[in-house]
Amino acid sequence: MTREKQKTKKSKWIVFKSSKIHSKGGFAARDIPKKTKIIEYIGRVISKEEAEDLAAMELKKHRKDKEKGAVYIFELNKKYDIDGNVSWNPARLINHSCLPNAKVEIKNDRIWIISRKKIKKGEEITYDYGYDLENWKDHPCRCGNKNCIGYIISRDEWTKFKKIKIKLGKKKKKRSQ
């Protein structure tokens, strides 16, 4: 599967500017109705193997310098992923939240950021990045929601993560006694 460099996708729904969550973020340019395709997540189509190598390299950069290195890889299908870390993909700037107002939908090998509810003009657009528990310590969450779990972890993994945190807390308690 090959694709030429795609043009930056303009969207009437979103503008990008400084974010309180992290660096830059996407904000509603106007009121966005529920279930609206806000913007397409685009990038280079890469193999699963290339995606794993790239993710490991970016994570290594991140561990050296917390402001450098970020993984913008999306699973596209069973064979390919999208490397969204390209200048022509502004959707890569949309931040994670533990209480997101948007979600990801993949259909016909296209990745869309879609509103989960009505989003008011000026509100930051966020979605759950869907990270698994691997390397959770490397991905602190800065969403600021009252129910924030503290790390960028898929909501589907929260129950497992809470059990891990309880076990870690018990180990720390034993060491301090």
Side-chain angles (χ1 to χ4, degrees), residues 22-150:
H22 183 252
S23 190
K24 285 191 173 183
F27 294 80
R30 55 181 47 129
D31 287 349
I32 303 173
K34 183 178 180 176
K35 297 183 180 179
T36 298
K37 287 183 178 179
I38 299 168
I39 191 168
E40 185 177 3
Y41 193 95
I42 58 176
R44 293 183 317 116
V45 178
I46 58 175
S47 69
K48 295 289 184 185
E49 184 178 324
E50 187 178 354
E52 282 185 36
D53 293 345
L54 185 58
M57 183 179 71
E58 291 300 325
L59 195 53
K60 188 175 178 180
K61 275 190 215 173
H62 177 73
R63 285 182 178 141
K64 285 182 182 176
D65 182 349
K66 296 294 182 193
E67 295 304 314
K68 298 232 185 211
V71 180
Y72 297 98
I73 297 171
F74 250 105
E75 183 175 331
L76 183 61
N77 56 40
K78 290 179 182 177
K79 248 179 141 173
Y80 298 102
D81 290 338
I82 293 282
D83 173 14
N85 195 13
V86 292
S87 61
W88 33 278
N89 178 30
R92 76 188 187 286
L93 301 174
I94 299 172
N95 284 310
H96 166 86
S97 176
C98 292
L99 189 60
N101 53 19
K103 64 181 180 178
V104 174
E105 188 174 281
I106 303 171
K107 279 192 178 175
N108 301 321
D109 288 334
R110 294 180 78 181
I111 302 168
W112 289 97
I113 309 302
I114 299 177
S115 56
R116 296 172 59 130
K117 61 179 190 143
K118 181 180 177 184
I119 302 172
K120 293 182 180 176
K121 180 180 179 177
E123 188 177 340
E124 185 163 5
I125 298 164
T126 59
Y127 65 92
D128 179 349
Y129 283 5
Y131 287 1
D132 60 24
L133 288 174
E134 185 179 2
N135 304 312
W136 62 269
K137 289 180 185 177
D138 292 315
H139 305 289
C141 183
R142 302 175 188 158
C143 74
N145 287 303
K146 67 179 182 177
N147 294 326
C148 177
I149 196 141

